[in-house]
Amino acid sequence: MVSLFDYKVSELHQLLHKKELTVTDLVSESYKRIGEVEDKVQAFLTIDEERAREAAKKMDEKIGTDEAKGLLFGMPIGVKDNIVTKGLRTTSASKILENFDPIYDATVASKLHNAETITIGKLNMDEFAMGSSNENSGFQVTRNPWNLERVPGGSSGGSAASVAAGEVLFSLGSDTGGSIRQPASYCGVVGLKPTYGRVSRFGLIAFASSLDQIGPITRTVEDNAYLLQAISGVDPMDSTSANVEVPSYAENLTGDVKGLRIAVPKEYLAEGVDEEVRKSVLDALKVLEKLGATWEEVSLPHSKYALATYYLLSSSEASANLARFDGVRYGYRTADPESLIDLYKKTRAEGFGDEVKRRIMLGTFALSSGYYDAYYKKAQKVRTLIKQDFENVFDKYDVIIGPTAPTPAFKIGENTSDPLTMYANDILTIPVNLAGVPGISVPCGFADGLPLGLQIIGKHFDESTVYRVAHAFEQATEFHKQKPGL
Amino acid sequence: MSRISTDQVRHVAHLARLAMTEEETVAYTEQLDKMISFAELLNELDTDHVEPTSHVLDMKNVLREDKANKGLPQEEVLKNAPEHQDGYIKVPSIIE
């Protein structure tokens, strides 16, 4: 089916400029599609139609005038529900924040206002971004638009599914261990985790502060570059945001990868990776070779320790970050507590879901007296080794390429009985967060009608090269043009 | 050998301020035990001479000008509080 969202931002802007299209048309396209498919996909937790239509009307009045227009003027966007939006309910998909009405905007939300996007609604996720399937949402399970019995991936499952289903032009997600790239892979869209520090985390409801990054999910690499452009940059409200120049990402999409040196870690194509996934990556490498790139097999020898390192560090950080949800200043509060401590304990027991509690428990244990050195500090040391693995490879190569996930999207309910099996889905994305480098997932094939993703990883703050390679691959292939038959 | 006991899980749940039924305590003991055994994979590595990484970027002491900015209005801040009175957030009494 034809949709306005088959066009890229640059094409939509031309149509707006020529007055062949209005912003109201774009917003209507979103809500029309939501009306058609949302009961099946269930990507949204909150829909903000009235304000979106009002904003569209105002923007339409600007068309044809000399008034300055934002970089993403009139483009309909969905925002993951762990990004706080002033006056628009933000839950992080948790019962503990079910009625939370933020009183300020996250920096990325302010930047979207400046770029003049239109927020269509807030998107479902695993509770507090802890999960790989959206099955941990406190409210609903988002479905994969390619196959409604499959998960969309997670934790940014709503963000990826809404884009794949054509409910929005693009969306924002967040990625702590793969939460943008894995759902992008499962839903056949483009998702980038920027370099740690590239995008401000102010107003992102924190899961693991040393790993979390907000990033764009789009249909094309070019739109991804535009959306990252709009949200990047140092922010006085986030002291971990980096004071590094933000290049013009779209300008670097030259299609030229001649002489590019690609490293392919043998650990990323090893046992546990589906044969079809492996084949799609090897085919992708052939495409890039034809375009003039070269590739060699390398080793990231500490890859097998990444999962354990990640779960210790992210759970430890989460246990500290989630201490703020205590039923006192905002959020859910238990009825009739006997004492203050009883209020804390019951509020948290009733407000948090099972997976969130499990990680708070693991993190609290790893940070507790007598165990800190053996677990938390040990994991921090192994993180150094994992980071060094990447530095060694990037001494000689421009990018690292592998699959985004070891399998295509799995069935709803298939991995819920054992947390450790569920965690294994993130084995190829987690090391990237531990090293803090940027990584993208672009569509690179299908297995049984389910999309597969190619992961391209770059050096710190070198999103430009990552985009250039992703774009060259995308332009040489047809995978991104396919749409789910919803 | 079990790596964590139900008593330890009870203690950790108290530290984490999570109320827990007996049934949950038993279930979490089993699950945490699995996760901790899995994490012990890291003991294969000799990290005696490795510095820990808490943050990937080489930055420290990010300073700003010592200038007062306007805070959020009290009315707004109290908007999400479960219970408040006279501009204060209400909690159960702490002193008997």
Side-chain angles (χ1 to χ4, degrees):
Chain A
M1 205 174 74
V2 183
S3 157
L4 283 175
F5 302 150
D6 295 343
Y7 294 105
K8 296 182 292 187
V9 172
S10 54
E11 294 165 338
L12 291 171
H13 275 170
Q14 274 185 10
L15 292 172
L16 286 172
H17 186 70
K18 287 192 281 187
K19 297 196 175 177
E20 286 171 22
L21 182 73
T22 64
V23 177
T24 300
D25 293 336
L26 287 166
V27 168
S28 295
E29 178 84 22
S30 260
Y31 291 113
K32 188 185 105 210
R33 187 70 177 152
I34 288 171
E36 286 164 4
V37 300
E38 180 59 12
D39 60 332
K40 289 185 243 172
V41 179
Q42 298 185 50
F44 284 87
L45 290 175
T46 307
I47 287 176
D48 198 24
E49 183 162 356
E50 206 178 305
R51 263 184 294 193
R53 288 196 180 276
E54 219 159 280
K57 226 158 111 189
K58 276 199 189 132
M59 283 188 204
D60 277 331
E61 285 165 17
K62 278 174 80 171
I63 295 176
T65 72
D66 293 342
E67 242 183 294
K69 294 171 193 74
L71 180 68
L72 301 171
F73 178 80
M75 299 295 116
I77 193 167
V79 177
K80 187 175 181 180
D81 210 25
N82 58 353
I83 295 170
V84 302
T85 42
K86 189 176 177 180
L88 179 57
R89 188 177 83 119
T90 301
T91 68
S92 219
S94 180
K95 294 265 191 233
I96 214 160
L97 286 176
E98 188 162 7
N99 299 309
F100 182 60
D101 181 15
I103 55 174
Y104 62 88
D105 265 328
T107 296
V108 293
S110 314
K111 281 177 178 272
L112 290 181
H113 287 308
N114 293 339
E116 294 189 283
T117 59
I118 295 185
T119 301
I120 297 299
K122 301 297 293 287
L123 294 161
N124 194 29
M125 52 186 282
D126 290 290
E127 184 180 3
F128 288 109
M130 297 176 188
S132 316
S133 68
N134 269 36
E135 290 164 296
N136 296 337
S137 166
F139 303 111
Q140 66 201 36
V141 180
T142 299
R143 311 274 162 156
N144 191 314
W146 293 86
N147 180 335
L148 298 171
E149 283 166 25
R150 304 265 166 170
V151 302
S155 65
S156 311
S159 301
S162 60
V163 174
E167 295 178 302
V168 287
L169 177 67
F170 47 32
S171 67
L172 288 184
S174 70
D175 190 316
T176 306
S179 281
I180 287 173
R181 291 159 288 155
Q182 184 255 25
S185 167
Y186 283 9
C187 292
V189 292
V190 182
L192 176 102
K193 182 203 87 77
T195 309
Y196 183 81
R198 179 57 98 187
V199 178
S200 167
R201 293 184 297 107
F202 178 71
L204 172 68
I205 297 172
F207 160 16
S209 308
S210 80
L211 302 161
D212 297 341
Q213 265 293 286
I214 296 168
I217 297 181
T218 56
R219 290 271 285 276
T220 63
V221 175
E222 186 184 298
D223 281 1
N224 208 280
Y226 277 119
L227 186 47
L228 181 65
Q229 197 79 47
I231 60 169
S232 291
V234 67
D235 174 17
M237 299 301 277
D238 173 9
S239 61
T240 66
S241 67
N243 195 1
V244 175
E245 202 200 322
V246 180
S248 175
Y249 298 117
E251 258 172 43
N252 200 37
L253 304 177
T254 57
D256 183 8
V257 292
K258 276 193 199 77
L260 182 91
R261 297 161 305 171
I262 302 168
V264 180
K266 62 177 187 207
E267 293 83 2
Y268 284 30
L269 293 173
E271 209 183 319
V273 175
D274 269 13
E275 194 44 49
E276 276 161 314
V277 172
R278 194 192 327 246
K279 193 180 164 295
S280 74
V281 171
L282 293 173
D283 288 347
L285 290 167
K286 279 182 205 147
V287 171
L288 290 166
E289 260 183 331
K290 261 199 192 148
L291 296 171
T294 56
W295 70 272
E296 283 178 319
E297 190 177 277
V298 299
S299 176
L300 295 169
H302 297 94
S303 296
K304 76 172 207 191
Y305 304 104
L307 200 56
T309 303
Y310 173 81
Y311 277 95
L312 285 170
L313 295 179
S314 65
S315 301
S316 297
E317 292 183 25
S319 75
N321 275 326
L322 270 59
R324 74 192 64 179
F325 301 104
D326 57 6
V328 174
R329 288 150 302 153
Y330 45 77
Y332 172 81
R333 178 187 283 196
T334 189
D336 305 319
E338 284 162 22
S339 61
L340 185 62
I341 198 146
D342 190 51
L343 179 149
Y344 295 148
K345 285 186 173 181
K346 283 189 183 146
T347 293
R348 291 162 62 79
E350 292 160 16
F352 290 139
D354 199 39
E355 180 65 21
V356 172
K357 287 187 212 171
R358 190 155 40 239
R359 298 207 201 185
I360 290 174
M361 289 291 288
L362 177 66
T364 307
F365 171 77
L367 292 176
S368 66
S369 161
Y371 298 97
Y372 179 90
D373 283 347
Y375 296 102
Y376 180 68
K377 202 165 180 194
K378 178 81 186 181
Q380 283 191 316
K381 288 179 166 191
V382 180
R383 183 174 186 182
T384 303
L385 298 174
I386 290 165
K387 190 174 165 243
Q388 284 168 354
D389 280 355
F390 279 90
E391 286 163 359
N392 292 337
V393 169
F394 281 133
D395 273 346
K396 280 202 242 157
Y397 299 91
D398 303 307
V399 290
I400 295 172
I401 286 185
T404 305
T407 67
F410 48 89
K411 283 196 179 122
I412 292 168
E414 190 176 325
N415 286 333
T416 40
S417 55
D418 180 5
L420 285 174
T421 336
M422 183 68 96
Y423 297 170
N425 286 292
D426 301 328
I427 199 151
L428 304 169
T429 45
I430 277 173
V432 174
N433 299 76
L434 290 170
V437 291
I440 200 168
S441 180
V442 281
C444 73
F446 290 88
D448 297 327
L450 297 167
L452 304 173
L454 184 73
Q455 186 175 208
I456 304 165
I457 303 161
K459 298 174 188 176
H460 277 139
F461 298 107
D462 193 14
E463 286 86 358
S464 288
T465 302
V466 171
Y467 276 142
R468 181 161 55 88
V469 179
H471 177 254
F473 176 74
E474 177 193 72
Q475 295 305 305
T477 54
E478 298 283 317
F479 305 116
H480 67 289
K481 291 187 180 158
Q482 303 207 34
K483 294 199 290 182
L486 257 181
Chain B
M1 195 191 74
S2 169
R3 274 141 181 102
I4 189 164
S5 66
T6 48
D7 275 348
Q8 274 175 297
V9 168
R10 258 179 230 116
H11 174 63
V12 172
H14 171 70
L15 292 175
R17 300 293 185 264
L18 283 170
M20 211 169 262
T21 62
E22 262 320 287
E23 212 173 66
E24 285 173 318
T25 308
V26 172
Y28 278 112
T29 307
E30 196 191 309
Q31 286 171 356
L32 283 178
D33 187 59
K34 260 197 198 170
M35 291 164 84
I36 295 162
S37 329
F38 172 65
E40 284 178 356
L41 177 71
L42 303 187
N43 293 339
E44 285 179 19
L45 294 168
D46 177 4
T47 52
D48 282 354
H49 304 288
V50 179
E51 286 296 316
T53 296
S54 59
H55 182 86
V56 286
L57 302 179
D58 188 24
M59 48 157 72
K60 47 190 117 166
N61 296 343
V62 179
L63 303 174
R64 59 165 175 80
E65 207 185 328
D66 187 17
K67 209 178 82 193
N69 283 321
K70 221 175 156 198
L72 292 159
Q74 189 184 50
E75 194 187 315
E76 283 281 289
V77 172
L78 289 172
K79 205 166 75 177
N80 282 291
E83 258 190 285
H84 62 93
Q85 190 186 323
D86 307 331
Y88 294 94
I89 288 167
K90 262 177 104 172
V91 293
S93 63
I94 299 165
I95 301 159
E96 296 291 316

